[in-house]
Amino acid sequence: MKYIQSYLAIILFVFVSCTGTAGTKKTEASTMRQVLNGKILIGCAVNVNQTNGEDSVGSAIIAAQYNSITPENCMKSEVIHPEENRYDFIASDAYVDYGMNHGMFIIGHCLVWHSQLAPWFCVDKDGKNVSPEVLKQRLKTHIETIVGRYKGRIKGWDVVNEAFNDDGTYRQSKFYQILGEEFIPLAFQYAHEADPDAELYYNDYSMVGAQKRDSVISMVRKLKARGIRIDGIGMQMHSTMEDPNLSGVEKSIEAFASTGCKVMITEFDMSVLPNPFAGTNASVANRFAYTEKTDPFSKGLPDSVSTAWNKRMNDFFLLFLKHADVISRVTMWGLADSDSWRNDWPIRGRTDYPLLFDRSHQSKAIVDSIISEAKKVSVVKR
Ligand code: GLA
């Protein structure tokens, strides 16, 4: 019996050595996850089909290439807490299980956001704004319940998303109208009480503009001065071929790092399509009409555009690696081009190419560049 066991073990060892665990031919190729390990977390926003296993191809690539995940939609209040006394944890539980099964740094996104907000959250049954006391109680219960459920498994939370306008003023969200700027410290405090070990983040778009950048920094400093925990500042980085410019991004990385917070690139994608508005306002509320002229690459991407896209992406990743002492994570907003919201925003029904994997789930040239550049750097965290 003992001999048979040893014999079987040798056969198994030879088989695994030759084929890899999935039975596919083993190659020496590394993945982004492997080479960036200990340097920068490399993340991907995931959809429900990827975490429930329906998109098994996508799910396997994410597990091989990424070591952090963010839920694209399933934790937004309209999904996870659609009525005051009803939560829906089906998708979020599958999301967290998927992350745990693959040893991911799991992000929760997002606890307080004016968009995709559950309709009941800030109003009474007549549609009028609730009192500050009622909203505080609702915020507390919402945050306690969700953060508490995933305590110890979700390692970092986007606590507040998009609280500022591009001119640096506070957005007139219902949270702001009812509670004033105090809704931010309250949300961070409730999240910290619910899981004292979780990292807590502020997340926003257009973070290169000086006015928004300065307002975020001043808000973060005020939180810290009051002893309220905040660990990181997320720059979403929904980008185009023109915006934002690299030097502006670098300036913001340095400015945000000066608060003592980690800096994170949280929702990175880069559209190649004509941008119908000037500037970088990535508000999901902005939409424009479809015309064929606005959708020039519906039959495929010319090599010249693809080369320019890969080059610009590479420049960004070199910048992130240069600042890897303060950048804790770079998260792509989706896996493959077909998954991306950019196909439908700010114009519905276009064909865009914003992510690291194409419509056939093949990696783009940038993935190999990231792997070879990452191998060269050694990172000492600040
Ligand atoms: C914002 C949100 C994300 C996502 C994108 C658009 O950036 O933070 O959750 O909704 O908009 O898809």
Side-chain angles (χ1 to χ4, degrees):
M1 189 64 186
K2 205 167 133 204
Y3 295 112
I4 293 173
Q5 275 175 351
S6 314
Y7 183 61
L8 285 177
I10 290 167
I11 291 179
L12 187 65
F13 174 77
V14 171
F15 178 77
V16 169
S17 311
C18 295
T19 64
T21 46
T24 52
K25 191 171 179 300
K26 190 179 173 190
T27 67
E28 289 311 309
S30 324
T31 67
M32 295 189 291
R33 175 178 182 155
Q34 287 168 338
V35 296
L36 285 165
N37 184 32
K39 297 176 182 174
I40 289 185
L41 289 166
I42 181 81
C44 185
V46 295
N47 61 39
V48 285
N49 291 338
Q50 290 158 342
T51 51
N52 71 14
E54 248 170 69
D55 174 5
S56 55
V57 174
S59 161
I61 298 173
I62 293 164
Q65 294 284 353
Y66 295 94
N67 56 13
S68 174
I69 48 172
T70 301
E72 187 174 7
N73 284 307
C74 73
M75 286 190 168
K76 291 169 180 170
S77 64
E78 67 174 7
V79 181
I80 201 169
H81 195 177
E83 291 168 43
E84 182 165 13
N85 295 315
R86 184 166 71 86
Y87 292 85
D88 182 346
F89 292 122
I90 295 175
S92 54
D93 283 357
Y95 164 77
V96 173
D97 287 347
Y98 173 83
M100 294 301 291
N101 289 339
H102 295 289
M104 306 277 195
F105 188 96
I106 307 174
I107 304 295
H109 170 88
C110 45
L111 294 169
V112 184
W113 189 29
H114 66 279
S115 184
Q116 295 184 259
L117 173 65
W120 61 272
F121 210 115
C122 299
V123 293
D124 62 21
K125 55 183 184 330
D126 302 319
K128 299 221 170 65
N129 283 359
V130 293
S131 67
E133 288 63 40
V134 170
L135 185 55
K136 269 192 216 173
Q137 190 50 54
R138 287 182 180 182
L139 260 183
K140 188 167 194 286
T141 308
H142 175 78
I143 292 173
E144 255 174 12
T145 307
I146 298 168
V147 176
R149 184 176 184 93
Y150 300 115
K151 184 174 174 181
R153 291 181 288 162
I154 289 193
K155 299 290 184 196
W157 280 98
D158 288 336
V159 178
V160 175
N161 199 25
E162 303 180 353
F164 292 96
N165 297 311
D166 287 359
D167 67 3
T169 57
Y170 278 93
R171 179 190 296 281
Q172 288 291 321
S173 67
K174 293 237 175 247
F175 296 106
Y176 182 77
Q177 285 167 7
I178 299 170
L179 289 169
E181 46 189 271
E182 203 51 23
F183 85 88
I184 300 179
L186 283 171
F188 277 86
Q189 184 194 319
Y190 299 148
H192 181 56
E193 284 163 8
D195 184 354
D197 294 327
E199 291 190 350
L200 306 180
Y201 315 131
Y202 176 77
N203 191 48
D204 212 328
Y205 63 84
S206 296
M207 294 283 262
V208 170
Q211 290 165 309
K212 187 181 267 193
R213 185 185 64 218
D214 294 349
S215 293
V216 169
I217 289 174
S218 125
M219 178 274 291
V220 168
R221 290 198 196 282
K222 278 193 227 159
L223 289 183
K224 285 183 171 273
R226 287 169 62 176
I228 293 172
R229 176 166 185 172
I230 175 164
D231 299 271
I233 301 175
M235 301 170 66
Q236 293 183 0
M237 291 278 296
H238 296 294
S239 315
T240 68
M241 292 298 286
E242 296 81 35
D243 289 310
N245 66 53
L246 260 91
S247 60
V249 174
E250 180 159 42
K251 205 165 165 194
S252 283
I253 293 169
E254 286 165 350
F256 290 138
S258 76
T259 64
C261 276
K262 294 175 177 174
V263 181
M264 291 159 303
I265 309 301
T266 52
E267 303 186 14
F268 196 19
D269 52 28
M270 189 161 69
S271 171
V272 291
L273 297 180
N275 180 10
F277 39 57
T280 55
N281 187 332
S283 167
V284 287
N286 286 328
R287 293 205 178 262
F288 298 83
Y290 180 94
T291 60
E292 275 186 17
K293 223 173 132 201
T294 64
D295 190 20
F297 308 128
S298 58
K299 304 222 159 44
L301 196 62
D303 285 349
S304 58
V305 182
S306 165
T307 304
W309 183 93
N310 277 287
K311 156 93 177 60
R312 181 160 154 79
M313 262 288 164
N314 194 47
D315 291 343
F316 274 121
F317 271 93
L318 289 178
L319 181 68
F320 303 150
L321 286 169
K322 174 179 169 195
H323 291 281
D325 58 331
V326 292
I327 296 182
S328 58
R329 169 169 58 94
V330 177
T331 290
M332 299 304 304
W333 200 248
L335 175 65
D337 288 339
S338 45
D339 302 322
S340 172
W341 76 301
R342 301 298 296 258
N343 296 301
D344 289 307
W345 179 88
I347 297 175
R348 272 190 212 288
R350 299 197 294 178
T351 303
D352 208 343
Y353 301 80
L355 296 169
L356 305 188
F357 291 80
D358 70 17
R359 283 178 165 69
S360 319
H361 284 109
Q362 296 304 308
S363 58
K364 298 184 186 174
I366 180 64
V367 172
D368 282 343
S369 313
I370 293 171
I371 290 171
S372 65
E373 292 302 334
K375 280 181 181 163
K376 292 183 209 158
V377 296
S378 58
V379 176
V380 179
K381 291 288 177 190
R382 180 186 62 181

